[in-house]
């Protein structure tokens, strides 16, 4: 697997990814507001702008990456690395959000994505990374722990119990 920045080459696969999540009613974690965009090129501009402090549209600089299978160039998942944390992200969202296509789950891709993303965080000179997940999301809990996540605490947000994990880099 490789992590790549979104390009026009992956437009159709990303639109299919979005449709799969919308149809199933699942959260598109790690896609940086993809669900709010009807025009792919506008979403691409939004996420590319967000990679720079001077052009960002959100409170923190972030990078969205596609998890692409090296054997067949298929989109497996998406991951968002937030370079810093604001108050909300510190409390509930963390540095990294990610999702994997339903048909590709339970194959170890989330763990592989997170490991590569943590290497990217090291390149950004982060010393430790906060990752959060719903307490009942057993797959994410296992993924985070397998990458060195240490549970700091649990907090409630909008009636959901959120676990906060730190990973030392």
């Amino acid at each position: 697997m490789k992590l790549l920045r979104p390009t026009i080459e992956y437009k159709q696969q990303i639109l299919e990814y979005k449709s799969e999540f919308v149809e199933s009613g699942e959260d598109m974690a790690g896609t940086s507001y993809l669900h709010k965009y009807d025009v792919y090129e506008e979403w691409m501009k939004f996420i590319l702008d967000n990679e720079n402090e001077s052009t960002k549209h959100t409170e923190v600089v972030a990078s969205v990456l596609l998890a692409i299978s090296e054997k067949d160039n298929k989109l497996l998942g998406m991951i968002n690395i937030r370079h810093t944390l604001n108050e909300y992200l510190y409390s509930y969202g963390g540095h990294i959000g990610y999702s994997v296509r339903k048909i590709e789950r339970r194959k170890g891709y989330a763990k592989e994505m997170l490991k590569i993303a943590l290497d990217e965080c090291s390149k950004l000179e982060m010393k430790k990374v906060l990752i959060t997940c719903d307490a009942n999301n057993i797959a994410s809990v296992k993924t985070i722990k397998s990458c060195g996540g240490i549970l700091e605490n649990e907090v409630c947000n909008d009636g959901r119990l959120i676990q906060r994990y730190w990973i030392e880099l």
Side-chain angles (χ1 to χ4, degrees):
M1 168 191 308
K2 56 190 172 185
L3 294 185
L4 304 173
R5 293 169 70 211
T7 63
I8 203 71
E9 173 187 355
Y10 294 101
K11 175 180 179 176
Q12 190 57 42
Q13 290 191 63
I14 291 170
L15 293 175
E16 290 168 5
Y17 189 89
K18 176 183 173 182
S19 290
E20 290 170 16
F21 277 84
V22 168
E23 288 172 16
S24 68
E26 292 185 54
D27 180 35
M28 284 190 275
T31 65
S32 195
Y33 302 104
L34 176 61
H35 66 283
K36 292 187 176 190
Y37 284 86
D38 293 325
V39 178
Y40 177 79
E41 291 78 5
E42 290 175 8
W43 174 74
M44 261 189 58
K45 180 181 180 343
F46 171 80
I47 60 169
L48 295 177
D49 284 353
N50 273 352
E51 292 181 353
N52 298 298
E53 184 67 36
S54 63
T55 57
K56 68 182 177 157
H57 302 285
T58 57
E59 291 187 37
V60 299
V61 174
S63 303
V64 174
L65 300 168
L66 308 177
I68 302 294
S69 167
E70 291 192 86
K71 72 175 185 189
D72 59 10
N73 208 37
K74 297 288 185 203
L75 176 63
L76 304 170
M78 295 177 70
I79 195 160
N80 185 7
I81 301 170
R82 299 163 196 114
H83 301 198
T84 58
L85 299 175
N86 61 18
E87 187 176 326
Y88 176 84
L89 293 172
Y90 180 81
S91 298
Y92 309 112
H95 284 100
I96 297 175
Y98 56 89
S99 55
V100 175
R101 286 185 121 139
K102 198 171 214 168
I103 61 169
E104 300 296 350
R105 293 180 189 161
R106 304 180 73 92
K107 298 178 182 178
Y109 293 134
K111 181 178 175 180
E112 193 173 345
M113 287 167 57
L114 184 52
K115 283 184 176 182
I116 297 169
L118 291 170
D119 287 341
E120 293 298 317
C121 290
S122 289
K123 292 175 189 173
L124 294 168
E125 299 182 3
M126 294 181 189
K127 301 298 181 217
K128 63 182 189 172
V129 173
L130 175 66
I131 304 177
T132 67
C133 68
D134 286 356
N136 65 358
N137 187 338
I138 304 306
S140 279
V141 169
K142 287 181 179 180
T143 296
I144 295 165
K145 286 182 174 181
S146 73
C147 290
I150 305 295
L151 179 65
E152 178 178 68
N153 63 356
E154 295 180 330
V155 294
C156 202
N157 183 36
D158 290 333
R160 295 175 25 226
L161 189 60
I162 307 293
Q163 293 185 336
R164 299 174 67 252
Y165 291 87
W166 288 97
I167 298 176
E168 298 281 337
L169 300 178

